[in-house]
Amino acid sequence: MRKIVIGAAAVATLLAAWFTPDQDGGVVGPAAATTREAAPSVPVTDVTPAGAPEELQIHPRVADDDMGNVFAKQSWAPEAPKKMMQEQAPQPQAAATSASGPPALPFQFVGRFIDEGKTAWFLQIDGQNIVARPGEKVNDDYMLDSVNGGTMTFIYLPLHQKQTLAVGDTN
């Protein structure tokens, strides 16, 4: 059966090739390249009627070289005045003056776990989970001093100053 189908396809191909009209028989041949002369450029003259108001007058187009970066990020939000930006620059100096005290606690309270009567406190710093118990160093700069009620007390080791973190009722 397969041989019959292949044979029939071969015969149909041969018949199609035999009865194909030649170039003069009405079949469109390949395109031929032609050349045309360019139309002469005619300068545009002012076609504005005499006495037309300024808004309706037609003026020749002038190239605008000062378009800026057309692909720049654009926003509807108004730009901050430059004076405000200059006033905001001294903020690092303000942070340097408050460096005499400990920085704000970098921890976030996550929860607690009680195992065999010992409580472990879960903290998070920079997306990293930390397990802390009273009397242990939490990171290089802090030690968990105590936990009383809803308050955790840390000691900032470089300055030996205490800081508290309110965790609320942990029942």
Side-chain angles (χ1 to χ4, degrees):
M1 179 73 176
R2 186 174 176 191
K3 289 182 181 181
I4 294 172
V5 173
I6 293 175
V11 170
T13 303
L14 288 174
L15 288 174
W18 182 264
F19 291 108
T20 302
D22 46 341
Q23 293 292 337
D24 297 329
V27 176
V28 178
T34 59
T35 58
R36 293 185 187 175
E37 292 183 22
S41 62
V42 178
V44 177
T45 59
D46 189 11
V47 292
T48 307
E54 178 68 28
E55 296 86 26
L56 300 178
Q57 290 184 2
I58 300 174
H59 299 286
R61 183 175 178 183
V62 178
D64 187 10
D65 292 335
D66 190 28
M67 288 182 60
N69 185 358
V70 295
F71 299 106
K73 181 179 178 183
Q74 298 181 8
S75 173
W76 288 98
E79 292 184 22
K82 292 184 179 180
K83 291 181 181 178
M84 293 292 291
M85 289 181 178
Q86 291 173 353
E87 291 174 9
Q88 291 175 356
Q91 286 181 351
Q93 294 173 354
T97 58
S98 67
S100 61
L105 285 172
F107 308 113
Q108 181 178 3
F109 174 72
V110 178
R112 70 178 179 144
F113 179 72
I114 301 174
D115 184 28
E116 297 179 9
K118 294 184 180 180
T119 304
W121 300 90
F122 296 108
L123 304 171
Q124 190 174 44
I125 180 171
D126 296 328
Q128 190 176 25
N129 293 329
I130 298 172
V131 179
R133 291 180 182 87
E136 295 180 353
K137 283 180 71 173
V138 178
N139 67 3
D140 294 336
D141 295 331
Y142 289 93
M143 181 178 78
L144 179 58
D145 185 41
S146 64
V147 180
N148 293 323
T151 305
M152 298 177 79
T153 304
F154 293 92
I155 297 177
Y156 182 63
L157 297 174
L159 298 176
H160 299 289
Q161 291 185 350
K162 291 187 177 184
Q163 291 179 280
T164 58
L165 176 66
V167 295
D169 188 20
T170 58
N171 287 336

